[in-house]
């Protein structure tokens, strides 16, 4: 095992045990090949959220509700508005949220996030935007929903290293994967160089970009 892998394994060994139900969701996701946030990336994001203490979070990509439940557990005063395109996953997410009695702080909008901006705007403005959906669409998700984030708010983008492919000098064999890698690289570069945001890409989980939206100098 390489030193980097040993370090990651050591850090994971120090993380607090999740509840039995959270572990059941993690097992369900693994058994049914449903992508959820990797544990070290999830815990990193939750720690930033605990420091920030946001009240209203917009999540792009509910899947089966894992991230939303983890965020609501970590933030007892926060509400999550979550978007999910897949109808079956949306139904499972609602059931999972209801099983832990968090439905009063959770709103799920089922549909394509690229078509929901007008409806979502009624819920904002948001303290946090969490992007964890179709990787090739991150730039479009960002363009649609970043304006709904308050000044001083934070945007979390997961999977921005995508299994190491983004940093690799070897291009994927698949044409579709090559196109996605190019899009994520462009997204990372644009966000890291955008003066309207203070951004940092952390090598945790599958790559986590954290971007704070700067305040606009209204006197200029």
């Amino acid at each position: 095992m390489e030193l980097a892998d040993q370090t990651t394994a050591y850090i994971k060994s120090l993380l607090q045990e999740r509840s039995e139900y959270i572990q059941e969701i993690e097992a369900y996701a693994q058994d049914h090949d449903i992508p959820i946030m990797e544990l070290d990336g999830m815990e990193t994001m939750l720690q930033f959220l605990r420091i920030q203490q946001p009240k209203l979070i917009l999540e792009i990509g509910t899947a089966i509700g894992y991230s939303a439940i983890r965020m609501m557990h970590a933030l007892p005063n926060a509400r999550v508005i979550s978007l999910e395109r897949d109808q079956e996953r949306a139904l499972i997410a609602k059931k999972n949220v209801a099983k832990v009695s968090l439905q009063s702080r959770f709103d799920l909008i089922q549909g394509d996030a690229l078509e929901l901006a007008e409806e979502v705007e009624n819920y904002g403005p948001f303290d946090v935007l969490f992007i964890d959906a179709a990787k090739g669409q991150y730039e479009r998700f960002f363009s649609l929903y970043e304006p709904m984030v308050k000044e001083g708010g934070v945007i979390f983008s997961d999977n921005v290293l995508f299994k190491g492919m983004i940093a690799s000098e070897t291009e994927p064999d698949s044409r579709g994967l090559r196109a996605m890698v190019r899009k994520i690289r462009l997204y990372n570069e644009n966000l890291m160089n955008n003066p309207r945001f203070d951004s940092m890409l952390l090598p945790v989980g599958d790559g986590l970009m954290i971007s704070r939206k700067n305040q606009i100098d209204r006197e200029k």
Side-chain angles (χ1 to χ4, degrees):
M1 182 183 293
E2 295 182 0
L3 181 58
D5 295 329
Q6 292 176 12
T7 301
T8 299
Y10 172 69
I11 292 171
K12 287 183 177 179
S13 74
L14 295 176
L15 297 176
Q16 292 185 2
E17 192 80 1
R18 279 94 57 221
S19 70
E20 183 178 343
Y21 186 61
I22 291 297
Q23 293 184 61
E24 287 177 7
I25 297 176
E26 292 170 350
Y28 180 93
Q30 183 173 1
D31 291 344
H32 293 81
D33 198 26
I34 296 172
I36 60 173
M37 201 169 183
E38 292 187 22
L39 187 56
D40 51 341
M42 181 84 258
E43 296 294 344
T44 300
M45 184 175 76
L46 291 179
Q47 187 65 4
F48 276 95
L49 289 172
R50 291 185 188 103
I51 294 168
Q52 184 191 1
Q53 288 295 310
K55 295 293 190 292
L56 190 59
I57 299 170
L58 174 61
E59 176 184 47
I60 311 299
T62 317
I64 55 175
Y66 175 74
S67 295
I69 290 171
R70 297 296 311 274
M71 289 189 289
M72 287 187 287
H73 275 157
L75 303 164
N77 297 315
R79 185 178 193 86
V80 175
I81 312 300
S82 193
L83 314 183
E84 175 54 49
R85 182 173 61 180
D86 187 277
Q87 186 175 16
E88 182 179 355
R89 290 183 180 178
L91 290 173
I92 295 171
K94 288 181 178 180
K95 291 178 181 178
N96 284 336
V97 170
K99 284 181 181 178
V100 286
S101 302
L102 291 172
Q103 63 270 34
S104 64
R105 295 194 284 124
F106 179 73
D107 290 282
L108 194 154
I109 304 174
Q110 198 268 311
D112 189 333
L114 297 176
E115 301 171 355
L116 295 173
E118 188 174 341
E119 181 178 354
V120 172
E121 193 170 12
N122 295 322
Y123 291 87
F126 300 95
D127 303 301
V128 164
L129 168 61
F130 174 40
I131 304 176
D132 189 18
K135 312 312 167 192
Q137 301 293 348
Y138 271 28
E139 199 75 56
R140 295 180 69 188
F141 293 146
F142 187 89
S143 297
L144 281 172
Y145 294 105
E146 171 272 316
M148 302 180 196
V149 177
K150 297 176 182 176
E151 294 177 9
V154 179
I155 299 169
F156 295 92
S157 308
D158 192 30
N159 305 113
V160 292
L161 292 177
F162 199 73
K163 308 180 189 305
M165 294 183 192
I166 307 305
S168 176
E169 295 180 359
T170 304
E171 293 294 324
D173 294 332
S174 162
R175 181 178 179 181
L177 275 178
R178 287 198 300 272
M180 187 188 67
V181 165
R182 286 195 296 270
K183 288 180 179 179
I184 297 177
R185 283 176 179 164
L186 183 61
Y187 177 79
N188 291 342
E189 291 164 10
N190 287 344
L191 198 44
M192 288 292 290
N193 290 288
N194 190 329
R196 296 178 53 242
F197 297 87
D198 292 318
S199 296
M200 188 61 204
L201 200 168
L202 302 180
V204 293
D206 199 26
L208 180 66
M209 180 79 80
I210 303 175
S211 307
R212 183 182 183 275
K213 187 173 183 178
N214 292 325
Q215 294 184 346
I216 300 172
D217 187 347
R218 302 188 185 281
E219 295 182 358
K220 292 183 179 181

